[in-house]
């Protein structure tokens, strides 16, 4: 199954959101906000979001679901968008301010399949933590 680069980024965000078995409203709102404001999504027909999400769910529920979604997504992405894909996945998993083991495993799996270096992935992770930090009480 061939998908667009936009669809690929959305699939990776949806998997990040559902990797801990629950997709929260905060995660869905963040996905929508990122699609609405990031330049990488310019030209994406937002009316297709439900269709793209359903395609992702169908793939996830099929044989080798997780690997298949990730492999299809990465095959559809230009190499120069791999860091963007990882940043989006980290952004979605960071929304809840606490990463579950399943989310950490998904990010590790994604890191292993990408061709970006460890320093870049670490910088993306630190930046996400900084963006989501709250004032101490």
């Amino acid at each position: 199954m061939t998908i667009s680069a936009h669809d690929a980024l959305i699939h990776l965000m949806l998997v990040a959101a559902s990797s801990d078995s629950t997709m929260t409203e905060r995660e869905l709102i963040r996905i929508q906000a990122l699609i609405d404001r990031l330049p990488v999504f310019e030209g994406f027909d937002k009316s297709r979001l439900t269709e793209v999400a359903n395609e992702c769910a169908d793939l996830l529920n099929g044989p080798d679901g997780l690997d298949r979604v990730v492999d299809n997504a990465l095959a559809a992405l230009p190499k120069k968008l791999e860091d963007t894909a990882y940043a989006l996945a980290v952004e979605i998993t960071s929304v809840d301010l606490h990463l579950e083991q399943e989310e950490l495993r998904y990010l590790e799996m994604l890191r292993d399949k990408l061709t970006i270096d460890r320093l870049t992935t670490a910088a993306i992770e630190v930046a996400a933590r900084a963006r989501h930090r709250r004032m101490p009480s």
Side-chain angles (χ1 to χ4, degrees):
M1 172 187 193
T2 303
I3 59 175
S4 73
H6 288 137
D7 292 5
L9 292 171
I10 293 167
H11 283 198
L12 293 173
M13 287 191 294
L14 289 168
V15 171
S18 64
S19 62
D20 62 354
S21 300
T22 57
M23 193 176 302
T24 66
E25 188 171 339
R26 280 180 103 162
E27 290 167 330
L28 291 173
I29 289 169
R30 181 58 53 96
I31 290 170
Q32 183 68 55
L34 292 170
I35 291 169
D36 286 343
R37 76 169 189 251
L38 290 181
V40 75
F41 289 107
E42 286 175 8
F44 175 70
D45 178 2
K46 294 173 188 150
S47 69
R48 289 191 56 247
L49 185 54
T50 301
E51 173 191 337
V52 173
N54 288 335
E55 289 170 357
C56 181
D58 289 345
L59 283 172
L60 274 174
N61 291 324
D64 300 320
L66 179 60
D67 285 325
R68 195 163 171 206
V69 169
V70 172
D71 291 343
N72 283 348
L74 295 181
L77 285 177
K79 293 290 183 207
K80 70 178 185 173
L81 288 182
E82 286 190 1
D83 57 351
T84 303
Y86 189 70
L88 291 172
V90 170
E91 183 71 20
I92 298 306
T93 58
S94 301
V95 167
D96 298 331
L97 303 176
H98 173 74
L99 271 67
E100 299 292 336
Q101 278 302 117
E102 297 86 1
E103 292 169 313
L104 292 169
R105 278 196 293 277
Y106 170 67
L107 292 175
E108 181 180 15
M109 181 191 81
L110 190 55
R111 255 192 330 261
D112 290 345
K113 291 182 180 240
L114 295 168
T115 59
I116 53 179
D117 64 86
R118 189 69 183 117
L119 284 176
T120 300
T121 59
I124 289 168
E125 292 161 4
V126 168
R129 278 194 301 272
R131 276 192 310 281
H132 292 280
R133 192 166 288 134
R134 296 182 187 267
M135 292 297 285
S137 24

